[in-house]
Amino acid sequence: MDANFRKAALEYHEQGRPGKLSVTPTKQLSNQRDLALAYSPGVAAACEEIVNDPQNVFRYTGRGNLVGVISNGTAVLGLGNIGPLAAKPVMEGKAVLFKSFAGLDVFDIEINETDPDKLVDIIAGLEPTFGGINLEDIKAPECFEVERKLRQRMSIPVFHDDQHGTAICVTAAFLNGLSVVEKDLKQVKVVTSGAGAAALACLDLMIDMGLPLENIWVTDIDGVLYEGRPGNPVPELARFAKQTDARSLNEVIDGADVFLGLSAGGVLKPQMLKKMAARPLILALANPNPEILPEDAHAVRDDVVMATGRSDYPNQVNNVLCFPYIFRGALDVGATTITRGMEKAAVQAICQLAREEQDEGVAAAYGLEEVSFGPSFFIPRPFDSRLIVRIAPAVAKAAMEEGVATRPIADLKSYIYQLRQFVYKSGSFMKPIYSLARGLVQDGAKSRVVFSEGEDERVLRAVQIIVDEGLATPILVGRPAVLQQRIERYGLRLRLGIDVEVTNPEQDDRFHRYWTSYWEIMSRRGISKEMARVEMRRRPTLIGAMMLHLGDADGMICGTVGRYENHLELVDQVIGKAPGVQTYAAMNILLLSERTVALTDTHINHDPNSDQVAEITLAAARKMRQFNIEPKVALLSSSNFGTNDSPAAVTMRGALERVRQLDPSLEVDGEMHGDCALDEKARHQILPTSALSGEANLLVCPNVEAGNIAYNLLKTAAGGNVAIGPFLLGARAPVHIMTSTSSVRRIVNMTAVTVVDANVATEG
């Protein structure tokens, strides 16, 4: 390990609170009543319900979301038998992966016991605590015996990740790698280096997926596994012994199609690689040093297709691709075990995902753009946000089909939407809007949304999701050749003219109508015919706005490139304000860990007066009601109910009077500090007669500086960068102006909102 990296790793584990885990309560404990509910006497009610029906343990405790990561430290990573104490950092790390990738809680348990039977007794006794057991870093052959006996004794999933997690990921890489090199599973010769628990599990699963046993040659530190070899291999390996005079890897590698390495660095020599068949598939998975480095392999053969276990090379085979999601699916249906069918379902889900385009998270985490299924990419990457929504449902479905699910899921489609909350924190909030937008598209309602920055990567990725989920009928403003090139670069599946309509800014038969109509609008505002023609060609937002104005689109998304105010200027020129509206405003909704709040105005008005603030408030309240949220409005200021007479405070006081005149039913108060808005107790200490009850969920700021600062601070520091918006309030037609930092998911969310807006406006 590099000395600097070692130092950084030690600092990572030591800084702040030592280690990587803590226990966080899921329920509030802030007063005497909470204490009574959480412990004595209230806890007795939950205990009694579990006595009456043991299945109630999953209703009233966290058992159904709790995994035990258990090791005795006898085979830790590449470190060997370092004991349970030194294994603890690894087990904590495993727990972090479970939580981060699948939302599963973990207790890591390191057991000072090497006797297999005693170890089984200890672990089996823990069954009432856990929903599943992940065995980790237990050496072979004891690991086979421990897992087998635990599966016989326990009625919850027991999964030795070193065997089965490795096998699932390796088999997925093996199958997809064969597809890349265009070889038949039934015909390939496979040579392995390594005959431990992981290698055996990989070979067993490959055979179950269709690889003939007779095509496999096994080697280890003692050479080829042949019939009669001294030392008596463990029974699980005996069936792989061959009748052969070959005694070394070098002798059996000749003509091999696949090399599977789960052994040690440098085992596969370049001269051995030269003897393999055309287009060899090399799975060199020893860590930290693979059996052959990719650069050494490519130096001797230019037709090699490779995977390793390292993150600094393409095609990393990493167990984190599967184990969190296998447990997620298994626990969610109350599986009593993990079957071979569940493992095969995971393999197939991983294989299929690798054949699709990269998602935004992978592209951002790895700095990738031009990646599609092929030699440099045939296994998904750990940060692919879709892993959970592909693997967990596949595993859950297999568990139900094989009869091991004690809590079957009736609606897998709803389950998938629920899982998306682990990936997209806006998923639960947006679900009703998605359902409504999807229904409108299916019913043939207004759903044509034009994307003015159609060539932008995020827009293209978002449109792929929009097409897949049926949320809108997209129109891309962009040059067809550029669009096609970028669709291919990002590995997308969009078909121009079929999945999406294209408006070409360089050549479109409608452009004469667009620019002449624009000139008619702007002829008395300093725009000449020639300028109108030029502007229409060079400003995609202007093109989109004219499409919307002339009925060629039903809504528009713009703003992913450029300044917000520049886009708003063009929207205002062509679309304009809705009847009776005097002021535009922008609103953002933040999904914080403990509350959902909307902020306005975040992007437009620098110095609004009381009437404008009142109009903005009412428009934002109407938008919140569209999401079935009853607004509770706080007009924010540095003044707290008259403590000072700053210009902003005076403006907010006047706005309160105006809002109450225009909508007496709206629950609103101000001017007030931000803490009073969110803390009812603090607010009532200062003003017991406040008309606002509970926590405010719509925060109205006195100007754009305050709104934008508050929004960005909350979004970054407390909201995990999860926001919905910006919503453009006050426009005549459904238009939403994004920002240059908008994510793919935010564009998708606002597209669904735009479709709903288009049809609400129609109904109105």
Side-chain angles (χ1 to χ4, degrees):
M1 186 183 300
D2 176 79
N4 289 332
F5 186 80
R6 179 183 179 84
K7 180 181 178 183
L10 292 174
E11 289 175 351
Y12 174 86
H13 284 80
E14 184 183 19
Q15 66 185 355
R17 182 182 298 179
K20 298 187 285 283
L21 290 177
S22 68
V23 177
T24 303
T26 60
K27 301 295 187 294
Q28 180 174 296
L29 189 65
S30 58
N31 53 47
Q32 187 275 332
R33 177 173 172 77
D34 290 344
L35 180 60
L37 292 170
Y39 198 54
S40 180
V43 72
C47 296
E48 290 165 352
E49 291 298 312
I50 295 169
V51 171
N52 293 334
D53 181 358
Q55 284 294 310
N56 281 332
V57 72
F58 299 107
R59 294 180 61 188
Y60 300 118
T61 78
R63 183 179 184 234
N65 199 60
L66 185 61
V67 174
V69 172
I70 300 178
S71 178
N72 65 357
T74 53
V76 180
L77 295 175
L79 303 174
N81 186 356
I82 60 175
L85 194 63
K88 189 170 181 63
V90 180
M91 302 309 116
E92 284 190 354
K94 194 85 170 191
V96 170
L97 298 179
F98 268 110
K99 187 67 174 180
S100 298
F101 287 106
L104 288 165
D105 297 315
V106 166
F107 291 155
D108 66 292
I109 298 180
E110 295 74 36
I111 300 174
N112 190 19
E113 181 57 71
T114 57
D115 182 276
D117 288 328
K118 291 181 180 179
L119 188 60
V120 167
D121 287 338
I122 294 168
I123 298 171
L126 297 171
E127 182 169 351
T129 301
F130 297 109
I133 299 292
N134 182 99
L135 300 175
E136 191 78 15
D137 294 347
I138 300 171
K139 73 180 180 71
E142 289 89 339
C143 61
F144 303 120
E145 180 183 352
V146 169
E147 183 190 49
R148 182 171 59 249
K149 289 183 176 179
L150 287 173
R151 287 192 170 193
Q152 291 169 353
R153 289 178 59 173
M154 302 179 81
S155 58
I156 58 174
V158 177
F159 187 80
H160 184 208
D161 186 49
D162 298 325
Q163 291 183 64
H164 308 298
T166 301
I168 289 166
C169 296
V170 169
T171 301
F174 170 67
L175 294 175
N176 274 0
L178 288 183
S179 178
V180 170
V181 298
E182 299 179 329
K183 294 189 179 183
D184 184 353
L185 174 65
K186 301 289 186 181
Q187 303 297 323
V188 293
K189 176 183 177 180
V190 177
V191 175
T192 77
S193 174
L200 176 62
C202 291
L203 294 175
D204 283 343
L205 185 53
M206 288 177 181
I207 290 169
D208 282 356
M209 299 299 289
L211 176 66
L213 173 62
E214 59 269 21
N215 292 10
I216 300 171
W217 295 74
V218 175
T219 71
D220 61 12
I221 194 171
D222 296 317
V224 176
L225 183 62
Y226 62 89
E227 290 184 359
R229 193 177 82 169
N232 294 325
V234 296
E236 291 83 0
L237 273 172
R239 65 174 177 149
F240 294 100
K242 286 278 194 295
Q243 263 193 340
T244 179
D245 294 329
R247 294 294 182 264
S248 68
L249 174 62
N250 185 52
E251 293 177 82
V252 297
I253 199 71
D254 190 27
D257 300 284
V258 180
F259 172 82
L260 170 60
L262 289 157
S263 54
V267 167
L268 182 64
K269 308 300 182 185
Q271 60 268 28
M272 297 181 188
L273 178 57
K274 290 180 181 179
K275 298 166 65 174
M276 293 183 70
R279 298 207 78 193
L281 174 62
I282 308 299
L283 306 176
L285 306 178
N287 263 320
N289 298 313
E291 285 79 2
I292 188 169
L293 289 167
E295 55 266 33
D296 294 337
H298 290 296
V300 296
R301 295 192 62 157
D302 58 8
D303 62 345
V304 170
V305 174
M306 277 200 71
T308 71
R310 287 174 44 158
S311 61
D312 53 346
Y313 291 110
N315 299 315
Q316 182 191 19
V317 179
N318 190 321
N319 286 17
V320 77
L321 289 174
C322 72
F323 70 79
Y325 317 116
I326 288 172
F327 272 95
R328 180 78 272 163
L331 266 62
D332 287 341
V333 295
T336 56
T337 188
I338 292 177
T339 66
R340 181 61 103 195
M342 294 160 73
E343 293 177 5
K344 291 169 75 172
V347 170
Q348 291 160 352
I350 294 170
C351 284
Q352 180 57 40
L353 182 57
R355 296 166 185 264
E356 299 178 14
E357 68 277 359
Q358 292 283 350
D359 79 342
E360 178 194 17
V362 171
Y366 292 89
L368 300 173
E369 279 190 359
E370 302 180 43
V371 175
S372 57
F373 185 75
S376 295
F377 178 71
F378 56 82
I379 191 79
R381 287 178 169 82
F383 285 98
D384 195 315
S385 60
R386 298 164 297 179
L387 285 163
I388 190 170
V389 296
R390 301 299 179 83
I391 299 175
V395 169
K397 184 173 183 286
M400 293 188 287
E401 290 173 348
E402 300 206 335
V404 298
T406 61
R407 299 189 305 279
I409 295 171
D411 187 349
L412 276 173
K413 191 173 182 180
S414 294
Y415 175 56
I416 291 170
Y417 277 113
Q418 177 186 335
L419 289 172
R420 283 181 178 152
Q421 296 177 44
F422 292 112
V423 182
Y424 305 114
K425 302 305 181 185
S426 60
S428 178
F429 184 87
M430 287 298 299
K431 183 179 178 181
I433 299 294
Y434 275 23
S435 298
L436 185 53
R438 194 176 292 112
L440 290 166
V441 174
Q442 292 170 351
D443 292 342
K446 291 179 177 292
S447 63
R448 298 170 301 165
V449 178
V450 58
F451 297 84
S452 64
E453 293 90 19
E455 297 175 2
D456 183 77
E457 177 185 355
R458 288 163 299 159
V459 170
L460 287 169
R461 291 186 184 279
V463 168
Q464 182 69 72
I465 296 169
I466 290 159
V467 169
D468 289 344
E469 299 193 10
L471 296 174
T473 304
I475 304 169
L476 297 175
V477 177
R479 296 159 291 177
V482 174
L483 290 171
Q484 188 60 47
Q485 180 189 49
R486 293 183 181 181
I487 287 168
E488 293 172 2
R489 178 192 301 174
Y490 307 138
L492 305 178
R493 294 165 282 111
L494 294 172
R495 297 168 297 172
L496 301 181
I498 299 174
D499 299 319
V500 296
E501 181 185 329
V502 176
T503 299
N504 183 357
E506 293 182 342
Q507 179 61 48
D508 194 294
D509 294 339
R510 297 168 292 184
F511 266 50
H512 182 270
R513 178 174 170 234
Y514 289 172
W515 76 257
T516 54
S517 298
Y518 177 60
W519 176 70
E520 288 171 3
I521 294 169
M522 299 296 293
S523 61
R524 291 182 177 273
R525 296 163 66 180
I527 299 293
S528 66
K529 278 189 176 183
E530 184 57 33
M531 187 179 296
R533 185 184 295 110
V534 171
E535 289 289 275
M536 190 58 59
R537 293 287 183 188
R538 71 175 187 167
R539 297 193 184 276
T541 294
L542 189 55
I543 296 170
M546 288 307 302
M547 293 187 72
L548 185 55
H549 175 68
L550 295 173
D552 292 337
D554 303 312
M556 182 171 78
I557 297 289
C558 61
T560 57
V561 177
R563 298 171 61 195
Y564 190 98
E565 52 266 39
N566 292 343
H567 292 279
L568 181 60
E569 180 182 4
L570 297 174
V571 169
D572 183 52
Q573 288 176 359
V574 177
I575 305 298
K577 301 181 182 73
V581 172
Q582 303 299 316
T583 307
Y584 293 113
M587 181 183 83
N588 278 277
I589 296 176
L590 288 168
L591 308 178
L592 307 179
S593 58
E594 296 182 359
R595 57 176 61 89
T596 296
V597 296
L599 276 86
T600 192
D601 171 32
T602 54
H603 288 88
I604 298 174
N605 296 284
H606 289 276
D607 189 22
N609 59 37
S610 293
D611 287 343
Q612 289 176 311
V613 172
E615 185 178 5
I616 292 168
T617 301
L618 295 172
R622 285 193 296 272
K623 179 57 68 176
M624 291 191 71
R625 288 182 176 127
Q626 184 178 317
F627 286 90
N628 294 317
I629 301 174
E630 189 56 35
K632 293 176 176 285
V633 186
L635 304 177
L636 301 183
S637 170
S638 61
S639 170
N640 214 15
F641 302 114
T643 55
N644 70 59
D645 290 324
S646 69
V650 172
T651 295
M652 300 311 264
R653 274 177 229 155
L656 177 63
E657 294 180 10
R658 185 64 175 151
V659 168
R660 285 176 172 170
Q661 290 172 1
L662 295 170
D663 186 357
S665 67
L666 184 62
E667 191 172 334
V668 58
D669 211 342
E671 77 285 8
M672 69 177 73
H673 289 173
D675 56 349
C676 285
L678 300 178
D679 186 341
E680 182 180 33
K681 185 177 180 181
R683 182 169 64 251
H684 282 191
Q685 284 180 341
I686 296 169
L687 188 68
T689 59
S690 173
L692 185 62
S693 62
E695 298 178 355
N697 57 19
L698 174 53
L699 308 179
V700 181
C701 297
N703 53 53
V704 71
E705 281 77 13
N708 193 267
I709 290 169
Y711 162 66
N712 281 297
L713 284 174
L714 282 172
K715 175 169 66 80
T716 304
N721 285 316
V722 179
I724 300 171
F727 300 85
L728 177 59
L729 307 176
R732 182 185 295 270
V735 177
H736 293 295
I737 304 172
M738 309 305 294
T739 63
S740 59
T741 58
S742 294
S743 66
V744 169
R745 181 51 53 170
R746 200 178 303 175
I747 296 169
V748 174
N749 287 341
M750 293 309 297
T751 302
V753 169
T754 302
V755 170
V756 173
D757 285 347
N759 290 278
V760 169
T762 300
E763 293 170 6

